[in-house]
Amino acid sequence: MRVVAVFGGGGAKSLACAGAWKAMADAGLTPGHLVGTSMGAVVGAAFASGATHDEVVIAARSLSRRDVAPLDPLAVVKGAFASHIFRAEGLRRLIDRLVPATEFEQLKIPLTITTADLDSGELVLFGAQPQAPLSSGSTTWREGKGARLHDALYASCALPLYFPPGRIDGRRLGDGGLRAVLGLEPAARIAADLVVAIHVGPGFDEPPLPPSAAVSRLVPPPLIRAHGEAIRVMMAAQAERAVAEWPRDAAPLVVVRPVAEREATFAVGEGERYVEAGYRATERALAGIGGVADK
């Protein structure tokens, strides 16, 4: 059975994709193609590199919020005039730690990575090309040979305000979630019998963060939080629309929603809980699709 897995963006919540991978493998549905956005792309690249579930979980367990998002001292000095808050080095170290392969050619499983051109607004894809042309005229595909794998992964994670943009082939590229927090558009154009999408990004089902949880997480200052709220609404609406517009002639789509939490982008300390949630939610979802999984 040809299975395509879509690993959505969601910061630390994307570690649920590691649990989803294990649940799919346990069900005999190891993906033959991965589409990833932001941290979902990083987790997908780890598996596409040949890393095992245990290796990914152990690497994720070693992460800390300070490792992933070190404050840029110049941002403090510049205040409202700063272009970003965190240094790029932390995010790049995270990618180096999780993803053994450094070039697309080294991957054992085809991987498509989403990014967004910050100037044109295009959805820019790196890596394995979908077999059928994309329906949107504002999508550009870039062959994996045109960029280093880790550079494309950095760009896919570089959410404006938090991190400086990635620069590839003269383009300023930012978080793929700006255009495809759940990469269903390219996934619909890949030959498959089943598409399993792990949606861990913003959604309208996320309850407000309780005060007790705020103590253990990075809760941003009001101005940055307002930016995050705007992004959350935009991405939640985008994901709903992508699911609703799934083509009728495409492979059956299973959307798994293992985590629905706010203010969790940098909650790496919750990683093991997210991995477990991804496994359990995917296990339940696959059990509910009946004969499709038995083909």
Side-chain angles (χ1 to χ4, degrees):
M1 177 182 239
R2 299 170 301 175
V3 179
V4 172
V6 179
F7 287 174
K13 294 181 291 183
S14 291
L15 292 172
C17 297
W21 172 274
K22 186 174 189 300
M24 284 186 277
D26 287 352
L29 296 172
T30 299
H33 194 128
L34 292 161
V35 178
T37 294
S38 197
M39 267 302 296
V42 176
V43 174
F47 289 118
S49 297
T52 67
H53 171 266
D54 288 346
E55 287 170 340
V56 172
V57 172
I58 289 170
R61 191 181 295 149
S62 69
L63 300 173
S64 72
R65 200 277 300 169
R66 290 185 179 180
D67 290 335
V68 176
L71 185 66
D72 189 334
L74 288 177
V76 178
V77 175
K78 294 180 179 180
F81 295 96
S83 61
H84 57 272
I85 301 169
F86 303 122
R87 299 201 308 270
E89 290 78 5
L91 181 53
R92 289 192 178 275
R93 282 197 300 268
L94 176 151
I95 294 168
D96 290 343
R97 191 177 300 180
L98 287 177
V99 183
T102 58
E103 306 292 343
F104 280 96
E105 292 82 359
Q106 297 170 342
L107 297 178
K108 296 174 171 50
I109 299 172
L111 171 69
T112 303
I113 298 171
T114 72
T115 67
D117 187 308
L118 297 178
D119 295 306
S120 70
E122 287 178 295
L123 172 64
V124 182
L125 306 177
F126 289 93
Q129 182 182 19
Q131 286 90 343
L134 297 172
S135 57
S136 172
S138 59
T139 302
T140 301
W141 174 72
R142 289 287 182 267
E143 187 177 1
K145 295 177 184 176
R148 300 201 68 196
L149 173 62
H150 285 201
D151 289 341
L153 290 171
Y154 173 83
S156 186
C157 295
L159 186 64
L161 182 62
Y162 289 114
F163 294 102
R167 295 182 181 273
I168 300 175
D169 294 337
R171 305 181 81 160
R172 294 190 317 124
L173 300 172
D175 195 303
L178 297 173
R179 281 294 309 271
V181 69
L182 196 59
L184 294 182
E185 182 185 4
R189 307 302 170 185
I190 298 168
D193 300 305
L194 177 67
V195 176
V196 181
I198 313 303
H199 177 23
V200 290
F204 296 120
D205 56 344
E206 296 172 329
L209 188 67
S212 59
V215 174
S216 62
R217 297 190 186 171
L218 176 65
V219 177
L223 186 60
I224 298 171
R225 193 170 186 178
H227 166 269
E229 289 171 345
I231 291 289
R232 183 180 70 84
V233 171
M234 179 197 75
M235 289 186 178
Q238 176 204 109
E240 280 195 356
R241 184 169 60 251
V243 173
E245 294 177 352
W246 182 254
R248 293 185 178 181
D249 60 348
L253 172 66
V254 176
V255 179
V256 183
R257 181 70 165 154
V259 183
E261 297 179 6
R262 301 189 194 189
E263 308 290 355
T265 300
F266 300 105
V268 292
E270 303 290 331
E272 291 195 52
R273 178 168 65 85
Y274 294 150
V275 171
E276 179 66 16
Y279 182 88
R280 297 302 174 197
T282 305
E283 184 182 48
R284 290 193 299 271
L286 294 179
I289 62 177
V292 176
D294 297 328
K295 288 184 181 178

